[in-house]
Amino acid sequence: MNIATTYQEKLEQFKNIENLAGKAWEHAMAIDLLSKADINDCSIECFHYQQMMELFFKHLLETKSQFGSYSKSHKLQKLLEEVIVSTKFRTDKTKYFMALQVITVCAEEYRYNFLIDCEGYKQSVNICDNLLNELIEFDESTEIQADS
């Protein structure tokens, strides 16, 4: 995918669809709008990024796993583990764990009105954007996980 691609373009196939991926697209729109706003604090953008990733993970678990279920977790690294265990998706998870944890913590800090490390958040987004691309490609190319 092109670097200039917006999040809503990446998730365009889910535009206004009433499912978890459709909700992920809504958060993608919010991220794109917030990235153009003159806001010093990046915590609200981080919150929407975390939500976009969480909902997309859960969409994959719902549509690509044998049982169509997912945990109640908001921790992105845990959700990545679930996707890897429950579907045919494979990646080097060690590349993403720290970045996913940073985004999870940033989103939690947003909920409690703490200031976050915007530079750390942006570095984590650069890493997680690669994962998002992998997940989108996986979603487009696979069927439901059969018995292991």
Side-chain angles (χ1 to χ4, degrees):
M1 276 183 219
N2 168 337
I3 290 176
T5 302
T6 64
Y7 291 107
Q8 60 186 320
E9 289 171 333
K10 287 182 180 194
L11 298 174
E12 181 74 21
Q13 68 195 41
F14 306 109
K15 181 179 180 179
N16 290 318
I17 295 177
E18 294 178 1
N19 65 15
L20 292 167
K23 294 292 183 194
W25 175 82
E26 291 173 8
H27 286 286
M29 270 193 55
I31 295 165
D32 292 340
L33 290 171
L34 289 166
S35 70
K36 295 176 184 141
D38 187 20
I39 302 173
N40 289 336
D41 179 10
C42 63
S43 61
I44 191 166
E45 184 179 324
C46 176
F47 171 77
H48 285 288
Y49 192 91
Q50 185 276 337
Q51 288 291 289
M52 176 186 70
M53 293 295 289
E54 176 183 338
L55 292 167
F56 200 71
F57 280 134
K58 290 178 177 181
H59 157 74
L60 292 173
L61 288 163
E62 184 177 68
T63 61
K64 304 295 181 185
S65 69
Q66 181 180 1
F67 300 108
S69 63
Y70 50 85
S71 72
K72 293 181 180 180
S73 180
H74 301 290
K75 295 180 190 249
L76 298 179
Q77 64 275 24
K78 181 172 176 18
L79 290 169
L80 175 58
E81 285 278 4
E82 281 184 50
V83 169
I84 290 169
V85 168
S86 302
T87 71
K88 295 178 182 178
F89 179 72
R90 299 296 174 261
T91 192
D92 178 4
K93 62 187 177 189
T94 60
K95 292 189 318 191
Y96 301 118
F97 265 22
M98 186 57 75
L100 291 170
Q101 187 170 6
V102 167
I103 290 169
T104 298
V105 169
C106 286
E108 289 171 357
E109 290 176 349
Y110 165 76
R111 289 182 183 100
Y112 298 109
N113 199 28
F114 295 129
L115 292 177
I116 68 170
D117 173 16
C118 286
E119 194 55 43
Y121 160 69
K122 289 176 184 173
Q123 289 172 0
S124 295
V125 164
N126 288 336
I127 295 167
C128 289
D129 280 352
N130 293 325
L131 175 60
L132 179 60
N133 292 339
E134 286 183 47
L135 293 167
I136 291 168
E137 186 176 306
F138 170 73
D139 183 64
E140 294 170 344
S141 66
T142 60
E143 299 298 320
I144 294 174
Q145 171 79 33
D147 288 352
S148 298

